[in-house]
Amino acid sequence: DAKTTQPNSMESNEEEPVHLPCNHSTISGTDYIHWYRQLPSQGPEYVIHGLTSNVNNRMASLAIAEDRKSSTLILHRATLRDAAVYYCILSGGSNYKLTFGKGTLLTVNP
Amino acid sequence: NAGVMQNPRHLVRRRGQEARLRCSPMKGHSHVYWYRQLPEEGLKFMVYLQKENIIDESGMPKERFSAEFPKEGPSILRIQQVVRGDSAAYFCASSPPGITYGYTFGSGTRLTVV
């Protein structure tokens, strides 16, 4: 399975934008890039996904590099409720068989 | 609209006992997925079920673990003769037919084997 690399942790200030990077240099042509987040003692929450083009939804934006070897999740204005572990996951052809890594722990400072 | 409901939230079992974890998918969702999160590790896929069918159980341990999703009622993940290594958080997700992204997860069942 193609792997992803994310920083262990990041910090942000409330109401500032946050850019969460993810490297996936061995991504295959059919891999979708999924982002989920997980708050303490909760199940993962879907954030966004994409294949080649940049994507926007009400929660975030996903910027995908032209060569697809990296992507960035963008939270436009961080709030305290955005503090969570963020996972970047490649679908590997089976979108339901997601393998979550360690993710990035995002801390949002008031 | 209630989300994915899992119960119990916490379950303590002695070694050798059976553990039954329940998952009620969101209304209108007929596909259920079980994941396990071992301590200090990421979630890993276990099994994918549709009503009365196991579609993919490639992530299930070969012994002691089974899952079902009957025509009526919740999906059940059953662990027989639990061992300490089964202690983990078990999460269930669901999706409607034809959707292959954006799964809705429940809050999980935290199993502790003593």
Side-chain angles (χ1 to χ4, degrees), chain A residues 36 41-44 46 49 95-98 100 102, chain B residues 9 33 35 40 43 56 58 100-101 103 105-106:
Chain A
Y36 281 77
S41 301
Q42 297 292 322
Y46 168 77
H49 81 290
N95 281 334
Y96 60 82
K97 202 183 287 188
L98 304 174
F100 290 68
K102 296 284 179 68
Chain B
R9 285 297 305 272
Y33 317 85
Y35 281 76
E40 307 302 321
L43 280 81
D56 183 348
S58 58
T100 58
Y101 63 89
Y103 305 117
F105 280 82

mmCIF file with all atom_site columns, all heavy atoms in Angstrom, chain A residues 36 41-44 46 49 95-98 100 102, chain B residues 9 33 35 40 43 56 58 100-101 103 105-106:
data_model
loop_
_atom_site.group_PDB
_atom_site.id
_atom_site.type_symbol
_atom_site.label_atom_id
_atom_site.label_alt_id
_atom_site.label_comp_id
_atom_site.label_asym_id
_atom_site.label_entity_id
_atom_site.label_seq_id
_atom_site.pdbx_PDB_ins_code
_atom_site.Cartn_x
_atom_site.Cartn_y
_atom_site.Cartn_z
_atom_site.occupancy
_atom_site.B_iso_or_equiv
_atom_site.pdbx_formal_charge
_atom_site.auth_seq_id
_atom_site.auth_comp_id
_atom_site.auth_asym_id
_atom_site.auth_atom_id
_atom_site.pdbx_PDB_model_num
ATOM 1   N N   . TYR A 1 36  ? -9.224  12.684 7.028  1.00 0.00 ? 36  TYR A N   1
ATOM 2   C CA  . TYR A 1 36  ? -10.141 12.538 8.152  1.00 0.00 ? 36  TYR A CA  1
ATOM 3   C C   . TYR A 1 36  ? -9.501  13.216 9.351  1.00 0.00 ? 36  TYR A C   1
ATOM 4   O O   . TYR A 1 36  ? -8.286  13.423 9.388  1.00 0.00 ? 36  TYR A O   1
ATOM 5   C CB  . TYR A 1 36  ? -10.381 11.062 8.495  1.00 0.00 ? 36  TYR A CB  1
ATOM 6   C CG  . TYR A 1 36  ? -11.370 10.353 7.590  1.00 0.00 ? 36  TYR A CG  1
ATOM 7   C CD1 . TYR A 1 36  ? -11.005 9.941  6.313  1.00 0.00 ? 36  TYR A CD1 1
ATOM 8   C CD2 . TYR A 1 36  ? -12.671 10.090 8.028  1.00 0.00 ? 36  TYR A CD2 1
ATOM 9   C CE1 . TYR A 1 36  ? -11.909 9.284  5.494  1.00 0.00 ? 36  TYR A CE1 1
ATOM 10  C CE2 . TYR A 1 36  ? -13.582 9.434  7.218  1.00 0.00 ? 36  TYR A CE2 1
ATOM 11  C CZ  . TYR A 1 36  ? -13.194 9.032  5.950  1.00 0.00 ? 36  TYR A CZ  1
ATOM 12  O OH  . TYR A 1 36  ? -14.094 8.394  5.136  1.00 0.00 ? 36  TYR A OH  1
ATOM 13  N N   . SER A 1 41  ? -11.249 10.697 22.034 1.00 0.00 ? 41  SER A N   1
ATOM 14  C CA  . SER A 1 41  ? -12.351 9.809  22.429 1.00 0.00 ? 41  SER A CA  1
ATOM 15  C C   . SER A 1 41  ? -13.515 9.811  21.434 1.00 0.00 ? 41  SER A C   1
ATOM 16  O O   . SER A 1 41  ? -14.643 9.486  21.797 1.00 0.00 ? 41  SER A O   1
ATOM 17  C CB  . SER A 1 41  ? -12.879 10.183 23.818 1.00 0.00 ? 41  SER A CB  1
ATOM 18  O OG  . SER A 1 41  ? -11.847 10.082 24.762 1.00 0.00 ? 41  SER A OG  1
ATOM 19  N N   . GLN A 1 42  ? -13.247 10.200 20.202 1.00 0.00 ? 42  GLN A N   1
ATOM 20  C CA  . GLN A 1 42  ? -14.284 10.179 19.166 1.00 0.00 ? 42  GLN A CA  1
ATOM 21  C C   . GLN A 1 42  ? -13.837 9.330  17.985 1.00 0.00 ? 42  GLN A C   1
ATOM 22  O O   . GLN A 1 42  ? -12.645 9.021  17.847 1.00 0.00 ? 42  GLN A O   1
ATOM 23  C CB  . GLN A 1 42  ? -14.564 11.605 18.673 1.00 0.00 ? 42  GLN A CB  1
ATOM 24  C CG  . GLN A 1 42  ? -15.123 12.530 19.725 1.00 0.00 ? 42  GLN A CG  1
ATOM 25  C CD  . GLN A 1 42  ? -16.514 12.156 20.149 1.00 0.00 ? 42  GLN A CD  1
ATOM 26  O OE1 . GLN A 1 42  ? -17.345 11.736 19.345 1.00 0.00 ? 42  GLN A OE1 1
ATOM 27  N NE2 . GLN A 1 42  ? -16.783 12.269 21.441 1.00 0.00 ? 42  GLN A NE2 1
ATOM 28  N N   . GLY A 1 43  ? -14.786 8.988  17.142 1.00 0.00 ? 43  GLY A N   1
ATOM 29  C CA  . GLY A 1 43  ? -14.433 8.322  15.906 1.00 0.00 ? 43  GLY A CA  1
ATOM 30  C C   . GLY A 1 43  ? -13.932 9.320  14.877 1.00 0.00 ? 43  GLY A C   1
ATOM 31  O O   . GLY A 1 43  ? -14.131 10.532 15.023 1.00 0.00 ? 43  GLY A O   1
ATOM 32  N N   . PRO A 1 44  ? -13.277 8.849  13.831 1.00 0.00 ? 44  PRO A N   1
ATOM 33  C CA  . PRO A 1 44  ? -12.811 9.759  12.785 1.00 0.00 ? 44  PRO A CA  1
ATOM 34  C C   . PRO A 1 44  ? -13.979 10.473 12.111 1.00 0.00 ? 44  PRO A C   1
ATOM 35  O O   . PRO A 1 44  ? -15.082 9.932  12.015 1.00 0.00 ? 44  PRO A O   1
ATOM 36  C CB  . PRO A 1 44  ? -12.109 8.823  11.796 1.00 0.00 ? 44  PRO A CB  1
ATOM 37  C CG  . PRO A 1 44  ? -11.758 7.612  12.588 1.00 0.00 ? 44  PRO A CG  1
ATOM 38  C CD  . PRO A 1 44  ? -12.851 7.467  13.586 1.00 0.00 ? 44  PRO A CD  1
ATOM 39  N N   . TYR A 1 46  ? -14.907 12.504 8.532  1.00 0.00 ? 46  TYR A N   1
ATOM 40  C CA  . TYR A 1 46  ? -14.484 12.805 7.161  1.00 0.00 ? 46  TYR A CA  1
ATOM 41  C C   . TYR A 1 46  ? -14.332 14.306 6.981  1.00 0.00 ? 46  TYR A C   1
ATOM 42  O O   . TYR A 1 46  ? -15.172 15.094 7.424  1.00 0.00 ? 46  TYR A O   1
ATOM 43  C CB  . TYR A 1 46  ? -15.527 12.260 6.179  1.00 0.00 ? 46  TYR A CB  1
ATOM 44  C CG  . TYR A 1 46  ? -15.377 12.748 4.760  1.00 0.00 ? 46  TYR A CG  1
ATOM 45  C CD1 . TYR A 1 46  ? -14.396 12.221 3.929  1.00 0.00 ? 46  TYR A CD1 1
ATOM 46  C CD2 . TYR A 1 46  ? -16.214 13.733 4.249  1.00 0.00 ? 46  TYR A CD2 1
ATOM 47  C CE1 . TYR A 1 46  ? -14.261 12.664 2.619  1.00 0.00 ? 46  TYR A CE1 1
ATOM 48  C CE2 . TYR A 1 46  ? -16.086 14.179 2.953  1.00 0.00 ? 46  TYR A CE2 1
ATOM 49  C CZ  . TYR A 1 46  ? -15.104 13.637 2.131  1.00 0.00 ? 46  TYR A CZ  1
ATOM 50  O OH  . TYR A 1 46  ? -14.969 14.082 0.845  1.00 0.00 ? 46  TYR A OH  1
ATOM 51  N N   . HIS A 1 49  ? -11.856 14.794 0.260  1.00 0.00 ? 49  HIS A N   1
ATOM 52  C CA  . HIS A 1 49  ? -11.056 13.874 -0.527 1.00 0.00 ? 49  HIS A CA  1
ATOM 53  C C   . HIS A 1 49  ? -10.918 14.409 -1.945 1.00 0.00 ? 49  HIS A C   1
ATOM 54  O O   . HIS A 1 49  ? -11.713 15.257 -2.384 1.00 0.00 ? 49  HIS A O   1
ATOM 55  C CB  . HIS A 1 49  ? -11.661 12.468 -0.526 1.00 0.00 ? 49  HIS A CB  1
ATOM 56  C CG  . HIS A 1 49  ? -12.796 12.280 -1.491 1.00 0.00 ? 49  HIS A CG  1
ATOM 57  N ND1 . HIS A 1 49  ? -14.027 12.875 -1.299 1.00 0.00 ? 49  HIS A ND1 1
ATOM 58  C CD2 . HIS A 1 49  ? -12.879 11.597 -2.652 1.00 0.00 ? 49  HIS A CD2 1
ATOM 59  C CE1 . HIS A 1 49  ? -14.823 12.539 -2.283 1.00 0.00 ? 49  HIS A CE1 1
ATOM 60  N NE2 . HIS A 1 49  ? -14.161 11.770 -3.122 1.00 0.00 ? 49  HIS A NE2 1
ATOM 61  N N   . ASN A 1 95  ? -11.734 2.188  -1.542 1.00 0.00 ? 95  ASN A N   1
ATOM 62  C CA  . ASN A 1 95  ? -11.974 3.378  -0.738 1.00 0.00 ? 95  ASN A CA  1
ATOM 63  C C   . ASN A 1 95  ? -12.434 3.073  0.675  1.00 0.00 ? 95  ASN A C   1
ATOM 64  O O   . ASN A 1 95  ? -12.372 3.930  1.542  1.00 0.00 ? 95  ASN A O   1
ATOM 65  C CB  . ASN A 1 95  ? -12.993 4.281  -1.436 1.00 0.00 ? 95  ASN A CB  1
ATOM 66  C CG  . ASN A 1 95  ? -12.366 5.080  -2.555 1.00 0.00 ? 95  ASN A CG  1
ATOM 67  O OD1 . ASN A 1 95  ? -11.177 5.354  -2.539 1.00 0.00 ? 95  ASN A OD1 1
ATOM 68  N ND2 . ASN A 1 95  ? -13.156 5.455  -3.539 1.00 0.00 ? 95  ASN A ND2 1
ATOM 69  N N   . TYR A 1 96  ? -12.919 1.874  0.902  1.00 0.00 ? 96  TYR A N   1
ATOM 70  C CA  . TYR A 1 96  ? -13.384 1.554  2.253  1.00 0.00 ? 96  TYR A CA  1
ATOM 71  C C   . TYR A 1 96  ? -12.260 0.960  3.109  1.00 0.00 ? 96  TYR A C   1
ATOM 72  O O   . TYR A 1 96  ? -12.368 0.898  4.311  1.00 0.00 ? 96  TYR A O   1
ATOM 73  C CB  . TYR A 1 96  ? -14.552 0.565  2.200  1.00 0.00 ? 96  TYR A CB  1
ATOM 74  C CG  . TYR A 1 96  ? -14.228 -0.764 1.531  1.00 0.00 ? 96  TYR A CG  1
ATOM 75  C CD1 . TYR A 1 96  ? -13.604 -1.770 2.235  1.00 0.00 ? 96  TYR A CD1 1
ATOM 76  C CD2 . TYR A 1 96  ? -14.545 -0.989 0.203  1.00 0.00 ? 96  TYR A CD2 1
ATOM 77  C CE1 . TYR A 1 96  ? -13.304 -2.977 1.641  1.00 0.00 ? 96  TYR A CE1 1
ATOM 78  C CE2 . TYR A 1 96  ? -14.251 -2.194 -0.410 1.00 0.00 ? 96  TYR A CE2 1
ATOM 79  C CZ  . TYR A 1 96  ? -13.636 -3.186 0.312  1.00 0.00 ? 96  TYR A CZ  1
ATOM 80  O OH  . TYR A 1 96  ? -13.349 -4.376 -0.279 1.00 0.00 ? 96  TYR A OH  1
ATOM 81  N N   . LYS A 1 97  ? -11.183 0.508  2.470  1.00 0.00 ? 97  LYS A N   1
ATOM 82  C CA  . LYS A 1 97  ? -10.121 -0.169 3.214  1.00 0.00 ? 97  LYS A CA  1
ATOM 83  C C   . LYS A 1 97  ? -9.038  0.855  3.543  1.00 0.00 ? 97  LYS A C   1
ATOM 84  O O   . LYS A 1 97  ? -7.929  0.775  3.047  1.00 0.00 ? 97  LYS A O   1
ATOM 85  C CB  . LYS A 1 97  ? -9.565  -1.325 2.399  1.00 0.00 ? 97  LYS A CB  1
ATOM 86  C CG  . LYS A 1 97  ? -8.865  -2.376 3.230  1.00 0.00 ? 97  LYS A CG  1
ATOM 87  C CD  . LYS A 1 97  ? -8.271  -3.475 2.364  1.00 0.00 ? 97  LYS A CD  1
ATOM 88  C CE  . LYS A 1 97  ? -9.297  -4.389 1.793  1.00 0.00 ? 97  LYS A CE  1
ATOM 89  N NZ  . LYS A 1 97  ? -8.691  -5.548 1.108  1.00 0.00 ? 97  LYS A NZ  1
ATOM 90  N N   . LEU A 1 98  ? -9.404  1.819  4.359  1.00 0.00 ? 98  LEU A N   1
ATOM 91  C CA  . LEU A 1 98  ? -8.492  2.907  4.671  1.00 0.00 ? 98  LEU A CA  1
ATOM 92  C C   . LEU A 1 98  ? -7.543  2.477  5.777  1.00 0.00 ? 98  LEU A C   1
ATOM 93  O O   . LEU A 1 98  ? -7.956  1.863  6.752  1.00 0.00 ? 98  LEU A O   1
ATOM 94  C CB  . LEU A 1 98  ? -9.290  4.134  5.112  1.00 0.00 ? 98  LEU A CB  1
ATOM 95  C CG  . LEU A 1 98  ? -10.351 4.621  4.126  1.00 0.00 ? 98  LEU A CG  1
ATOM 96  C CD1 . LEU A 1 98  ? -11.159 5.749  4.744  1.00 0.00 ? 98  LEU A CD1 1
ATOM 97  C CD2 . LEU A 1 98  ? -9.710  5.077  2.830  1.00 0.00 ? 98  LEU A CD2 1
ATOM 98  N N   . PHE A 1 100 ? -5.178  4.108  8.491  1.00 0.00 ? 100 PHE A N   1
ATOM 99  C CA  . PHE A 1 100 ? -4.835  5.363  9.151  1.00 0.00 ? 100 PHE A CA  1
ATOM 100 C C   . PHE A 1 100 ? -3.431  5.241  9.733  1.00 0.00 ? 100 PHE A C   1
ATOM 101 O O   . PHE A 1 100 ? -3.121  4.264  10.406 1.00 0.00 ? 100 PHE A O   1
ATOM 102 C CB  . PHE A 1 100 ? -5.824  5.652  10.292 1.00 0.00 ? 100 PHE A CB  1
ATOM 103 C CG  . PHE A 1 100 ? -7.215  6.008  9.845  1.00 0.00 ? 100 PHE A CG  1
ATOM 104 C CD1 . PHE A 1 100 ? -8.026  5.065  9.227  1.00 0.00 ? 100 PHE A CD1 1
ATOM 105 C CD2 . PHE A 1 100 ? -7.728  7.276  10.055 1.00 0.00 ? 100 PHE A CD2 1
ATOM 106 C CE1 . PHE A 1 100 ? -9.314  5.383  8.821  1.00 0.00 ? 100 PHE A CE1 1
ATOM 107 C CE2 . PHE A 1 100 ? -9.021  7.597  9.668  1.00 0.00 ? 100 PHE A CE2 1
ATOM 108 C CZ  . PHE A 1 100 ? -9.813  6.656  9.046  1.00 0.00 ? 100 PHE A CZ  1
ATOM 109 N N   . LYS A 1 102 ? -0.227  7.681  11.800 1.00 0.00 ? 102 LYS A N   1
ATOM 110 C CA  . LYS A 1 102 ? -0.173  8.410  13.072 1.00 0.00 ? 102 LYS A CA  1
ATOM 111 C C   . LYS A 1 102 ? -0.817  9.787  12.964 1.00 0.00 ? 102 LYS A C   1
ATOM 112 O O   . LYS A 1 102 ? -1.237  10.363 13.945 1.00 0.00 ? 102 LYS A O   1
ATOM 113 C CB  . LYS A 1 102 ? 1.277   8.570  13.530 1.00 0.00 ? 102 LYS A CB  1
ATOM 114 C CG  . LYS A 1 102 ? 1.969   7.239  13.845 1.00 0.00 ? 102 LYS A CG  1
ATOM 115 C CD  . LYS A 1 102 ? 1.517   6.690  15.165 1.00 0.00 ? 102 LYS A CD  1
ATOM 116 C CE  . LYS A 1 102 ? 2.147   5.362  15.513 1.00 0.00 ? 102 LYS A CE  1
ATOM 117 N NZ  . LYS A 1 102 ? 3.576   5.440  15.788 1.00 0.00 ? 102 LYS A NZ  1
ATOM 118 N N   . ARG B 2 9   ? -20.190 1.870  24.952 1.00 0.00 ? 9   ARG B N   1
ATOM 119 C CA  . ARG B 2 9   ? -19.037 2.757  24.742 1.00 0.00 ? 9   ARG B CA  1
ATOM 120 C C   . ARG B 2 9   ? -17.780 2.172  25.364 1.00 0.00 ? 9   ARG B C   1
ATOM 121 O O   . ARG B 2 9   ? -16.687 2.315  24.827 1.00 0.00 ? 9   ARG B O   1
ATOM 122 C CB  . ARG B 2 9   ? -19.299 4.141  25.348 1.00 0.00 ? 9   ARG B CB  1
ATOM 123 C CG  . ARG B 2 9   ? -20.253 5.010  24.568 1.00 0.00 ? 9   ARG B CG  1
ATOM 124 C CD  . ARG B 2 9   ? -19.730 5.355  23.172 1.00 0.00 ? 9   ARG B CD  1
ATOM 125 N NE  . ARG B 2 9   ? -18.417 5.980  23.163 1.00 0.00 ? 9   ARG B NE  1
ATOM 126 C CZ  . ARG B 2 9   ? -18.189 7.277  23.254 1.00 0.00 ? 9   ARG B CZ  1
ATOM 127 N NH1 . ARG B 2 9   ? -19.199 8.116  23.366 1.00 0.00 ? 9   ARG B NH1 1
ATOM 128 N NH2 . ARG B 2 9   ? -16.962 7.746  23.212 1.00 0.00 ? 9   ARG B NH2 1
ATOM 129 N N   . TYR B 2 33  ? -18.732 -0.907 8.032  1.00 0.00 ? 33  TYR B N   1
ATOM 130 C CA  . TYR B 2 33  ? -17.303 -1.210 8.049  1.00 0.00 ? 33  TYR B CA  1
ATOM 131 C C   . TYR B 2 33  ? -16.836 -1.182 9.504  1.00 0.00 ? 33  TYR B C   1
ATOM 132 O O   . TYR B 2 33  ? -17.167 -0.260 10.243 1.00 0.00 ? 33  TYR B O   1
ATOM 133 C CB  . TYR B 2 33  ? -16.512 -0.156 7.254  1.00 0.00 ? 33  TYR B CB  1
ATOM 134 C CG  . TYR B 2 33  ? -17.167 0.235  5.951  1.00 0.00 ? 33  TYR B CG  1
ATOM 135 C CD1 . TYR B 2 33  ? -18.147 1.223  5.916  1.00 0.00 ? 33  TYR B CD1 1
ATOM 136 C CD2 . TYR B 2 33  ? -16.817 -0.375 4.756  1.00 0.00 ? 33  TYR B CD2 1
ATOM 137 C CE1 . TYR B 2 33  ? -18.770 1.587  4.739  1.00 0.00 ? 33  TYR B CE1 1
ATOM 138 C CE2 . TYR B 2 33  ? -17.439 -0.008 3.561  1.00 0.00 ? 33  TYR B CE2 1
ATOM 139 C CZ  . TYR B 2 33  ? -18.419 0.968  3.567  1.00 0.00 ? 33  TYR B CZ  1
ATOM 140 O OH  . TYR B 2 33  ? -19.035 1.318  2.391  1.00 0.00 ? 33  TYR B OH  1
ATOM 141 N N   . TYR B 2 35  ? -13.490 -1.101 12.079 1.00 0.00 ? 35  TYR B N   1
ATOM 142 C CA  . TYR B 2 35  ? -12.071 -0.773 12.172 1.00 0.00 ? 35  TYR B CA  1
ATOM 143 C C   . TYR B 2 35  ? -11.627 -0.993 13.614 1.00 0.00 ? 35  TYR B C   1
ATOM 144 O O   . TYR B 2 35  ? -12.422 -0.881 14.555 1.00 0.00 ? 35  TYR B O   1
ATOM 145 C CB  . TYR B 2 35  ? -11.828 0.701  11.818 1.00 0.00 ? 35  TYR B CB  1
ATOM 146 C CG  . TYR B 2 35  ? -11.821 1.004  10.348 1.00 0.00 ? 35  TYR B CG  1
ATOM 147 C CD1 . TYR B 2 35  ? -12.995 1.065  9.610  1.00 0.00 ? 35  TYR B CD1 1
ATOM 148 C CD2 . TYR B 2 35  ? -10.621 1.255  9.675  1.00 0.00 ? 35  TYR B CD2 1
ATOM 149 C CE1 . TYR B 2 35  ? -12.975 1.346  8.257  1.00 0.00 ? 35  TYR B CE1 1
ATOM 150 C CE2 . TYR B 2 35  ? -10.598 1.547  8.319  1.00 0.00 ? 35  TYR B CE2 1
ATOM 151 C CZ  . TYR B 2 35  ? -11.781 1.591  7.626  1.00 0.00 ? 35  TYR B CZ  1
ATOM 152 O OH  . TYR B 2 35  ? -11.757 1.876  6.286  1.00 0.00 ? 35  TYR B OH  1
ATOM 153 N N   . GLU B 2 40  ? -1.773  3.376  20.667 1.00 0.00 ? 40  GLU B N   1
ATOM 154 C CA  . GLU B 2 40  ? -0.633  4.034  20.013 1.00 0.00 ? 40  GLU B CA  1
ATOM 155 C C   . GLU B 2 40  ? -0.518  3.689  18.520 1.00 0.00 ? 40  GLU B C   1
ATOM 156 O O   . GLU B 2 40  ? 0.538   3.887  17.927 1.00 0.00 ? 40  GLU B O   1
ATOM 157 C CB  . GLU B 2 40  ? 0.686   3.687  20.716 1.00 0.00 ? 40  GLU B CB  1
ATOM 158 C CG  . GLU B 2 40  ? 0.679   3.940  22.211 1.00 0.00 ? 40  GLU B CG  1
ATOM 159 C CD  . GLU B 2 40  ? 0.364   5.372  22.562 1.00 0.00 ? 40  GLU B CD  1
ATOM 160 O OE1 . GLU B 2 40  ? 0.849   6.282  21.849 1.00 0.00 ? 40  GLU B OE1 1
ATOM 161 O OE2 . GLU B 2 40  ? -0.389  5.606  23.533 1.00 0.00 ? 40  GLU B OE2 1
ATOM 162 N N   . LEU B 2 43  ? -6.003  3.537  13.024 1.00 0.00 ? 43  LEU B N   1
ATOM 163 C CA  . LEU B 2 43  ? -7.113  2.625  12.750 1.00 0.00 ? 43  LEU B CA  1
ATOM 164 C C   . LEU B 2 43  ? -6.772  1.715  11.575 1.00 0.00 ? 43  LEU B C   1
ATOM 165 O O   . LEU B 2 43  ? -6.157  2.154  10.601 1.00 0.00 ? 43  LEU B O   1
ATOM 166 C CB  . LEU B 2 43  ? -8.377  3.401  12.365 1.00 0.00 ? 43  LEU B CB  1
ATOM 167 C CG  . LEU B 2 43  ? -9.208  4.005  13.470 1.00 0.00 ? 43  LEU B CG  1
ATOM 168 C CD1 . LEU B 2 43  ? -8.621  5.310  13.935 1.00 0.00 ? 43  LEU B CD1 1
ATOM 169 C CD2 . LEU B 2 43  ? -10.636 4.207  13.003 1.00 0.00 ? 43  LEU B CD2 1
ATOM 170 N N   . ASP B 2 56  ? -15.961 -8.137 2.457  1.00 0.00 ? 56  ASP B N   1
ATOM 171 C CA  . ASP B 2 56  ? -14.502 -8.197 2.534  1.00 0.00 ? 56  ASP B CA  1
ATOM 172 C C   . ASP B 2 56  ? -14.121 -8.336 3.990  1.00 0.00 ? 56  ASP B C   1
ATOM 173 O O   . ASP B 2 56  ? -14.392 -7.441 4.780  1.00 0.00 ? 56  ASP B O   1
ATOM 174 C CB  . ASP B 2 56  ? -13.894 -6.926 1.921  1.00 0.00 ? 56  ASP B CB  1
ATOM 175 C CG  . ASP B 2 56  ? -12.371 -6.934 1.893  1.00 0.00 ? 56  ASP B CG  1
ATOM 176 O OD1 . ASP B 2 56  ? -11.747 -7.793 2.534  1.00 0.00 ? 56  ASP B OD1 1
ATOM 177 O OD2 . ASP B 2 56  ? -11.804 -6.056 1.216  1.00 0.00 ? 56  ASP B OD2 1
ATOM 178 N N   . SER B 2 58  ? -10.894 -9.239 4.861  1.00 0.00 ? 58  SER B N   1
ATOM 179 C CA  . SER B 2 58  ? -9.455  -9.432 4.752  1.00 0.00 ? 58  SER B CA  1
ATOM 180 C C   . SER B 2 58  ? -8.676  -8.873 5.950  1.00 0.00 ? 58  SER B C   1
ATOM 181 O O   . SER B 2 58  ? -7.540  -9.267 6.168  1.00 0.00 ? 58  SER B O   1
ATOM 182 C CB  . SER B 2 58  ? -8.924  -8.805 3.459  1.00 0.00 ? 58  SER B CB  1
ATOM 183 O OG  . SER B 2 58  ? -9.243  -7.433 3.415  1.00 0.00 ? 58  SER B OG  1
ATOM 184 N N   . THR B 2 100 ? -18.575 5.834  -2.089 1.00 0.00 ? 100 THR B N   1
ATOM 185 C CA  . THR B 2 100 ? -17.288 5.215  -1.776 1.00 0.00 ? 100 THR B CA  1
ATOM 186 C C   . THR B 2 100 ? -16.349 6.185  -1.080 1.00 0.00 ? 100 THR B C   1
ATOM 187 O O   . THR B 2 100 ? -15.132 6.065  -1.159 1.00 0.00 ? 100 THR B O   1
ATOM 188 C CB  . THR B 2 100 ? -16.623 4.681  -3.056 1.00 0.00 ? 100 THR B CB  1
ATOM 189 O OG1 . THR B 2 100 ? -16.470 5.771  -3.968 1.00 0.00 ? 100 THR B OG1 1
ATOM 190 C CG2 . THR B 2 100 ? -17.470 3.595  -3.687 1.00 0.00 ? 100 THR B CG2 1
ATOM 191 N N   . TYR B 2 101 ? -16.881 7.184  -0.422 1.00 0.00 ? 101 TYR B N   1
ATOM 192 C CA  . TYR B 2 101 ? -16.034 8.116  0.305  1.00 0.00 ? 101 TYR B CA  1
ATOM 193 C C   . TYR B 2 101 ? -16.868 8.741  1.415  1.00 0.00 ? 101 TYR B C   1
ATOM 194 O O   . TYR B 2 101 ? -18.085 8.583  1.453  1.00 0.00 ? 101 TYR B O   1
ATOM 195 C CB  . TYR B 2 101 ? -15.512 9.217  -0.628 1.00 0.00 ? 101 TYR B CB  1
ATOM 196 C CG  . TYR B 2 101 ? -16.620 10.063 -1.210 1.00 0.00 ? 101 TYR B CG  1
ATOM 197 C CD1 . TYR B 2 101 ? -17.084 11.204 -0.539 1.00 0.00 ? 101 TYR B CD1 1
ATOM 198 C CD2 . TYR B 2 101 ? -17.230 9.728  -2.406 1.00 0.00 ? 101 TYR B CD2 1
ATOM 199 C CE1 . TYR B 2 101 ? -18.127 11.956 -1.051 1.00 0.00 ? 101 TYR B CE1 1
ATOM 200 C CE2 . TYR B 2 101 ? -18.269 10.482 -2.914 1.00 0.00 ? 101 TYR B CE2 1
ATOM 201 C CZ  . TYR B 2 101 ? -18.713 11.589 -2.241 1.00 0.00 ? 101 TYR B CZ  1
ATOM 202 O OH  . TYR B 2 101 ? -19.740 12.330 -2.747 1.00 0.00 ? 101 TYR B OH  1
ATOM 203 N N   . TYR B 2 103 ? -17.110 8.259  4.758  1.00 0.00 ? 103 TYR B N   1
ATOM 204 C CA  . TYR B 2 103 ? -17.832 7.391  5.664  1.00 0.00 ? 103 TYR B CA  1
ATOM 205 C C   . TYR B 2 103 ? -18.096 8.085  6.989  1.00 0.00 ? 103 TYR B C   1
ATOM 206 O O   . TYR B 2 103 ? -17.294 8.872  7.459  1.00 0.00 ? 103 TYR B O   1
ATOM 207 C CB  . TYR B 2 103 ? -17.037 6.097  5.894  1.00 0.00 ? 103 TYR B CB  1
ATOM 208 C CG  . TYR B 2 103 ? -16.714 5.404  4.593  1.00 0.00 ? 103 TYR B CG  1
ATOM 209 C CD1 . TYR B 2 103 ? -15.402 5.228  4.186  1.00 0.00 ? 103 TYR B CD1 1
ATOM 210 C CD2 . TYR B 2 103 ? -17.728 4.981  3.745  1.00 0.00 ? 103 TYR B CD2 1
ATOM 211 C CE1 . TYR B 2 103 ? -15.104 4.625  2.983  1.00 0.00 ? 103 TYR B CE1 1
ATOM 212 C CE2 . TYR B 2 103 ? -17.433 4.381  2.544  1.00 0.00 ? 103 TYR B CE2 1
ATOM 213 C CZ  . TYR B 2 103 ? -16.122 4.206  2.161  1.00 0.00 ? 103 TYR B CZ  1
ATOM 214 O OH  . TYR B 2 103 ? -15.829 3.618  0.967  1.00 0.00 ? 103 TYR B OH  1
ATOM 215 N N   . PHE B 2 105 ? -18.382 7.664  10.896 1.00 0.00 ? 105 PHE B N   1
ATOM 216 C CA  . PHE B 2 105 ? -17.937 6.772  11.960 1.00 0.00 ? 105 PHE B CA  1
ATOM 217 C C   . PHE B 2 105 ? -18.735 7.003  13.235 1.00 0.00 ? 105 PHE B C   1
ATOM 218 O O   . PHE B 2 105 ? -19.182 8.114  13.518 1.00 0.00 ? 105 PHE B O   1
ATOM 219 C CB  . PHE B 2 105 ? -16.451 7.028  12.276 1.00 0.00 ? 105 PHE B CB  1
ATOM 220 C CG  . PHE B 2 105 ? -15.497 6.394  11.318 1.00 0.00 ? 105 PHE B CG  1
ATOM 221 C CD1 . PHE B 2 105 ? -15.196 7.001  10.112 1.00 0.00 ? 105 PHE B CD1 1
ATOM 222 C CD2 . PHE B 2 105 ? -14.878 5.185  11.621 1.00 0.00 ? 105 PHE B CD2 1
ATOM 223 C CE1 . PHE B 2 105 ? -14.307 6.420  9.220  1.00 0.00 ? 105 PHE B CE1 1
ATOM 224 C CE2 . PHE B 2 105 ? -13.990 4.603  10.733 1.00 0.00 ? 105 PHE B CE2 1
ATOM 225 C CZ  . PHE B 2 105 ? -13.701 5.218  9.533  1.00 0.00 ? 105 PHE B CZ  1
ATOM 226 N N   . GLY B 2 106 ? -18.862 5.921  13.998 1.00 0.00 ? 106 GLY B N   1
ATOM 227 C CA  . GLY B 2 106 ? -19.411 6.046  15.334 1.00 0.00 ? 106 GLY B CA  1
ATOM 228 C C   . GLY B 2 106 ? -18.320 6.456  16.317 1.00 0.00 ? 106 GLY B C   1
ATOM 229 O O   . GLY B 2 106 ? -17.159 6.630  15.940 1.00 0.00 ? 106 GLY B O   1
#
